[in-house]
Amino acid sequence: MTLTGDEQAMLEGREGRARQKAMELLVRYAEALGAERFVDTTNVAGVPGSVTPFLQRYYRDRGASYETIFSLFDLDSDEVVEVPRMTTHACHLQGGVDPENWQTLGAKPEMLEAIRASERSAADRDIRILKTCTPYLAGNVPSRGEHCAWMESSAVVYCNSVLGARTNTEGRESTSAAMLTGKIPDWGLHRDENRLGSHRIEVEVDVQSVMDWGMLGYFVGEIVQERIPVLTGRLGRPDLVRYKHFGAAAASSGGVELYHLVGITPEAPTCEAAFGSTRPVETLKYGEAERRRTYDALNANGKDSHVDYVMLGCPHASLEQLREISAWLEGKRISAHCHLWVFTSRAVRARADQEGCTRIIRDAGGHLLTDTCSAIGQAIPPGTKVAALDSAKQVHYLPAMMGIEAWFGSTRECIDAALTGRWNGTPP
Ligand code: F3S
């Protein structure tokens, strides 16, 4: 690899032991990828030094302190080093438990205390504690072309496709090292030639609602897996929520990190621009039959029409979504046989508190929760057998993780299920 002067200085330890360990890890990582140099990154999103029950047990004999976990686990160091303030703009993504509603989520007090201590240690090192999978809804909006290093597949695909910023799907280790050094391998989606489309998808049915966009994303991800789809046809103009559901679904059924919507997303003003000099490896259509197959696949796991849990907010709900949910719930009461949990970020929750959305959801018998979600926190109401979900991503993960049935439908259908305790969803 070719290293610049500042990179060499870090590698030789002239910027301290932590940056040396971080640079050693990044060089090993870059060499494994075949990268020849680093790019400077100005925006890193990860879970630096974050404590989990497993890590707490694993490092118990070493004290399981913030520096222990950061050094031995994140930096793969064989010694505990002093972790200084971060070099570059750094934020903390979703965590394990809502600190205000931890009892609802069934968390143990000792775990809550460990998470709080870890969070304080991160904040002391200039890491912004956003605790969300939607950092772009909580004040972290990178600019077009900006080199980022982000974890969280739904955030990565939004960052690349909607904002036109550049990141690969990084891991905990590489993001923690990038926060300390401001460097990430110049590889994959940081490079122009790797951002061109591979598959052309002709959309032959109207794609308008959030549910439509989620199903289309799920279909596309399954088809292209980790490559780059270019979509044309009967696409309505997506808003932030539709982008969020489309990308999260495509990143779950496949591993889509970047997509192009012709005439809509920033790197695809035309089909020619989206493909550059390459030709599509395949052209596929998304019509009535494909839409119905996707709907059936997402509902394959739903059998019992009695619903005892409704989860909304995957990816974390925007303020607009919370306004809509609370408008539907105002003056109503959730079925005594059903639970409603809605997940969002702390930043959006603060605004929802001010606007009265939180109170309306609570008065109806639901909970507005932050920091985590049922899949990440592996938390569902006790006794849950059947869930209703409006997120294709959550349908992809939650039933398998928690051994429950799940229905997929629109947010409105999920709210109806919460109010009646029964699933009455229908195909679009
Ligand atoms: Fe976020 Fe959980 Fe979905 S962390 S993207 S709400 S699986």
Side-chain angles (χ1 to χ4, degrees):
M1 282 191 78
T2 307
L3 297 184
T4 58
D6 62 328
E7 291 160 1
Q8 193 63 42
M10 285 191 271
L11 192 60
E12 289 170 5
R14 282 183 270 148
E15 300 292 333
R17 293 291 283 158
R19 292 201 168 86
Q20 183 177 28
K21 293 290 177 189
M23 211 59 207
E24 285 172 2
L25 182 138
L26 287 171
V27 167
R28 291 204 303 278
Y29 176 44
E31 285 176 349
L33 294 170
E36 292 174 1
R37 63 186 70 79
F38 290 108
V39 287
D40 291 333
T41 174
T42 41
N43 191 319
V44 187
V47 291
S50 181
V51 67
T52 65
F54 167 76
L55 292 176
Q56 207 180 28
R57 277 196 306 279
Y58 193 74
Y59 292 115
R60 185 179 295 136
D61 294 347
R62 310 281 300 256
S65 70
Y66 188 77
E67 291 196 322
T68 303
I69 292 175
F70 202 115
S71 305
L72 304 185
F73 191 76
D74 292 28
L75 297 183
D76 193 30
S77 164
D78 45 15
E79 62 177 290
V80 176
V81 294
E82 193 181 321
V83 180
R85 289 173 184 270
M86 299 300 139
T87 297
T88 196
H89 177 85
C91 77
H92 195 303
L93 296 168
Q94 68 267 22
V97 72
D98 177 340
E100 285 182 26
N101 297 287
W102 54 280
Q103 283 162 311
T104 304
L105 291 163
K108 298 208 167 64
E110 50 283 13
M111 197 57 222
L112 175 73
E113 207 27 68
I115 288 171
R116 282 191 170 140
S118 169
E119 193 175 304
R120 282 193 297 273
S121 299
D124 286 347
R125 288 163 177 81
D126 286 345
I127 296 159
R128 276 75 178 170
I129 308 298
L130 301 186
K131 290 281 174 107
T132 179
C133 50
T134 55
Y136 48 89
L137 287 177
N140 185 355
V141 185
S143 58
R144 184 166 177 192
E146 185 172 357
H147 291 289
C148 302
W150 281 20
M151 286 175 68
E152 171 47 45
S153 63
S154 69
V156 164
V157 69
Y158 190 94
C159 180
N160 279 312
S161 315
V162 182
L163 302 176
R166 299 184 170 209
T167 180
N168 296 302
T169 306
E170 296 295 344
R172 173 173 177 151
E173 298 80 357
S174 59
T175 50
S176 291
M179 287 178 189
L180 280 170
T181 59
K183 306 287 177 179
I184 200 73
D186 182 16
W187 175 82
L189 296 175
H190 290 288
R191 302 185 63 82
D192 290 346
E193 66 271 24
N194 297 327
R195 297 180 67 85
L196 298 170
S198 62
H199 289 64
R200 184 181 169 120
I201 315 281
E202 309 266 9
V203 177
E204 296 180 353
V205 286
D206 286 335
V207 176
Q208 298 286 352
S209 68
V210 174
M211 180 176 163
D212 288 341
W213 280 96
M215 287 193 297
L216 178 60
Y218 202 75
F219 168 81
V220 165
E222 262 191 327
I223 297 283
V224 309
Q225 290 295 305
E226 289 172 357
R227 285 167 294 174
I228 301 175
V230 177
L231 290 91
T232 62
R234 290 164 63 180
L235 299 166
R237 187 99 204 165
D239 58 6
L240 191 151
V241 176
R242 287 163 176 78
Y243 280 130
K244 189 161 71 82
H245 279 247
F246 174 79
S252 311
S253 59
V256 175
E257 297 172 289
L258 167 63
Y259 61 82
H260 300 298
L261 308 179
V262 175
I264 299 176
T265 52
E267 292 173 52
T270 61
C271 218
E272 292 69 35
F275 284 107
S277 54
T278 63
R279 291 180 65 79
V281 293
E282 217 176 332
T283 298
L284 296 128
K285 71 162 188 145
Y286 179 75
E288 290 284 357
E290 289 76 15
R291 179 168 65 179
R292 182 57 200 246
R293 253 203 332 270
T294 306
Y295 179 85
D296 290 345
L298 286 164
N299 277 292
N301 202 268
K303 308 270 183 287
D304 189 342
S305 62
H306 287 97
V307 172
D308 39 33
Y309 175 41
V310 174
M311 189 212 125
L312 304 173
C314 171
H316 280 172
S318 69
L319 186 60
E320 293 73 14
Q321 289 176 292
L322 295 181
R323 283 183 186 145
E324 196 172 51
I325 291 165
S326 51
W328 288 332
L329 286 174
E330 186 147 29
K332 304 200 177 84
R333 191 76 201 157
I334 289 160
S335 160
H337 308 290
C338 196
H339 298 267
L340 171 67
W341 291 359
V342 184
F343 290 90
T344 191
S345 62
R346 294 182 191 183
V348 171
R349 155 97 193 220
R351 188 71 208 147
D353 288 352
Q354 287 170 12
E355 293 200 9
C357 302
T358 312
R359 180 187 50 75
I360 293 170
I361 294 171
R362 193 179 50 234
D363 288 352
H367 294 275
L368 182 59
L369 304 162
T370 66
D371 287 41
T372 186
C373 74
S374 282
I376 284 288
Q378 299 200 11
I380 55 177
T384 296
K385 292 195 180 66
V386 184
L389 309 165
D390 69 347
S391 159
K393 173 171 181 172
Q394 198 71 203
V395 171
H396 189 79
Y397 291 115
L398 195 64
M401 290 172 77
M402 305 306 285
I404 59 171
E405 291 181 25
W407 296 103
F408 168 76
S410 68
T411 310
R412 186 63 198 247
E413 288 170 339
C414 290
I415 293 283
D416 286 345
L419 294 171
T420 61
R422 293 193 75 84
W423 183 249
N424 277 311
T426 50

